[in-house]
Amino acid sequence: QKEVEQNSGPLSVPEGAIASLNCTYSDRVSQSFFWYRQYSGKSPELIMSIYSNGDKEDGRFTAQLNKASQYVSLLIRDSQPSDSATYLCAVNESPGRRALTFGSGTRLQVQP
Amino acid sequence: DAGVIQSPRHEVTEMGQEVTLRCKPISGHDYLFWYRQTMMRGLELLIYFNNNVPIDDSGMPEDRFSAKMPNASFSTLKIQPSEPRDSAVYFCASSFLAGGTSEQFFGPGTRLTVL
């Protein structure tokens, strides 16, 4: 069974610190990787996508992908209380199938 | 540009009743997805369409669930008869196949409560 695994948390970091969120996936042929942020009672919001090994930076967010280790992570620099949310890792397992498989999410708490 | 639109936002119904959820994807998007989110099972795919054609319905839990997409701007998810275990938040998402990406954009969701 194809799986996307995340630590449920909560991950608690002080304001201004770096938050590191991790995700592993089981299907080696996975092609595309996404991070969604979901505030309580709201819908998932796409914040990062990454398709090739290495780092991708967008503002305070950096996504890291290591296909050999089947590992993808999200770093949030200068964490703010407004970053407190659940972060969902999502994987597109093959280019022919557009659906995403989601992890259960990591809850991040940024302490002021 | 308007995002994905879903209606109703909240639905409370009694067991055995028919429930219809509606979705309008982002204009120009050619993929539409229906997801269900619960505390126990997380976010799981029910069905998705490409150019109004159902491609994968393997996530539809049973025959009580059906989905249609009569045109590029409208889709419905129907549950008949509804059961308390169907209580969840149902999300619709859409995407546009450009450069092989799979970025999906979610609607606000419909919170369904079956009593």
Side-chain angles (χ1 to χ4, degrees):
Chain A
Q1 182 179 353
K2 299 174 181 177
E3 293 183 347
V4 178
E5 300 286 345
Q6 295 182 256
N7 188 318
S8 62
L11 173 65
S12 184
V13 300
E15 183 174 356
I18 296 175
S20 178
L21 306 164
N22 304 315
C23 172
T24 59
Y25 59 94
S26 62
D27 193 341
R28 287 192 169 275
V29 302
S30 296
Q31 299 287 316
S32 308
F33 307 86
F34 306 88
W35 284 99
Y36 285 80
R37 177 176 62 197
Q38 187 174 26
Y39 292 112
S40 180
K42 302 296 185 182
S43 61
E45 174 192 9
L46 179 66
I47 55 172
M48 288 287 288
S49 59
I50 187 166
Y51 305 98
S52 56
N53 281 328
D55 294 1
K56 179 182 178 182
E57 185 174 320
D58 183 0
R60 295 187 297 112
F61 299 99
T62 299
Q64 300 174 318
L65 175 61
N66 184 326
K67 289 188 177 181
S69 301
Q70 297 175 236
Y71 178 93
V72 58
S73 65
L74 178 70
L75 301 179
I76 306 175
R77 291 182 299 281
D78 188 23
S79 296
Q80 301 297 309
S82 59
D83 294 326
S84 298
T86 296
Y87 289 80
L88 301 168
C89 173
V91 175
N92 172 232
E93 290 150 353
S94 67
R97 186 172 187 272
R98 294 293 157 192
L100 298 179
T101 300
F102 283 83
S104 57
T106 297
R107 188 157 62 95
L108 173 66
Q109 295 178 340
V110 181
Q111 307 295 335
Chain B
D1 190 16
V4 176
I5 299 172
Q6 290 187 247
S7 64
R9 296 292 304 275
H10 302 272
E11 178 80 31
V12 180
T13 190
E14 293 188 346
M15 182 174 63
Q17 296 299 305
E18 178 179 295
V19 175
T20 299
L21 311 181
R22 297 172 176 81
C23 175
K24 176 179 169 57
I26 294 171
S27 178
H29 280 195
D30 53 356
Y31 282 85
L32 183 139
F33 305 82
W34 283 100
Y35 291 91
R36 177 172 67 177
Q37 188 174 40
T38 62
M39 288 294 293
M40 289 297 295
R41 300 177 64 88
L43 193 60
E44 52 183 352
L45 177 74
L46 298 177
I47 185 171
Y48 78 94
F49 297 82
N50 175 218
N51 291 324
N52 314 336
V53 176
I55 302 300
D56 185 346
D57 66 353
S58 59
M60 296 286 264
E62 49 197 273
D63 291 345
R64 298 185 297 106
F65 286 67
S66 62
K68 295 181 179 180
M69 192 166 185
N71 57 63
S73 59
F74 183 66
S75 177
T76 60
L77 178 68
K78 184 177 295 186
I79 308 172
Q80 165 65 17
S82 58
E83 297 183 2
R85 59 189 168 129
D86 302 330
S87 297
V89 181
Y90 291 80
F91 290 106
C92 176
S94 69
S95 70
F96 173 58
L97 179 55
T101 68
S102 304
E103 296 181 351
Q104 296 181 19
F105 299 90
F106 281 73
T110 296
R111 182 174 296 277
L112 174 65
T113 302
V114 183
L115 303 175

